Amino acid sequence: MGANLILVANDEVASDPLQQKLMKATAESSGAEIRFFSLEKTIQIIGRAADRQKIFIVVKTPKDVKVLVDGGVPIDEINVGNMHFAPGKKELTKKVYVDQSDKDDLHYLKTKGINVYIQDVPGDHKTEINF
């Protein structure tokens, strides 16, 4: 996707060296640098990113994206993926399961003018999310 920085915005991962080590190993193959910030730190520093940085932000939940957007993080599009099955969640695709809270947050993000879709890998068809 041309990103030169992967930013994992998650309060739990920001303070967990083991999860960071596992994600760093995966990121190395992409050629991009990787950073781990809490949601609040992401909100505080994203505006200081250099123009040359193309940042790919990874979050755990739609609620996390909502927190970032409400905090002023400029997000134009959201590729929803790897939201696994859990009790109370309904299948959107084979890799995306959502509950009512997820639906509400994704709908909210769409009302902010953000393009919300599911795309397993670059080049695949984008499936727009509509609720």
Side-chain angles (χ1 to χ4, degrees):
M1 295 186 62
N4 55 21
L5 176 65
I6 300 168
L7 192 162
V8 178
N10 181 271
D11 295 341
E12 184 181 317
V13 174
S15 62
D16 186 337
L18 179 58
Q19 286 190 60
Q20 291 178 19
K21 184 177 181 179
L22 294 169
M23 290 181 184
K24 281 180 185 176
T26 302
E28 285 177 359
S29 65
S30 74
E33 293 184 42
I34 188 166
R35 300 282 184 270
F36 305 93
F37 296 150
S38 68
L39 295 172
E40 187 57 36
K41 184 172 181 179
T42 301
I43 291 166
Q44 297 296 323
I45 69 163
I46 198 76
R48 292 187 250 160
D51 290 340
R52 62 177 160 56
Q53 288 183 302
K54 183 167 181 188
I55 303 171
F56 182 83
I57 300 174
V58 177
V59 298
K60 188 172 183 177
T61 67
K63 182 174 278 335
D64 288 348
V65 182
K66 184 176 184 283
V67 169
L68 294 177
V69 168
D70 287 346
V73 176
I75 296 176
D76 299 324
E77 59 182 52
I78 300 166
N79 182 359
V80 180
N82 292 322
M83 292 179 61
H84 303 289
F85 174 79
K89 294 203 173 212
K90 297 189 185 209
E91 181 179 331
L92 289 183
T93 69
K94 292 187 186 286
K95 295 182 181 179
V96 177
Y97 294 80
V98 296
D99 59 20
Q100 191 58 51
S101 177
D102 297 328
K103 286 181 179 182
D104 293 345
D105 292 334
L106 292 168
H107 176 74
Y108 173 83
L109 294 163
K110 286 182 69 81
T111 67
K112 294 291 189 180
I114 299 170
N115 182 19
V116 181
Y117 59 89
I118 298 169
Q119 182 182 34
D120 288 340
V121 294
D124 277 2
H125 172 74
K126 291 181 181 181
T127 303
E128 191 171 332
I129 295 178
N130 290 306
F131 299 116

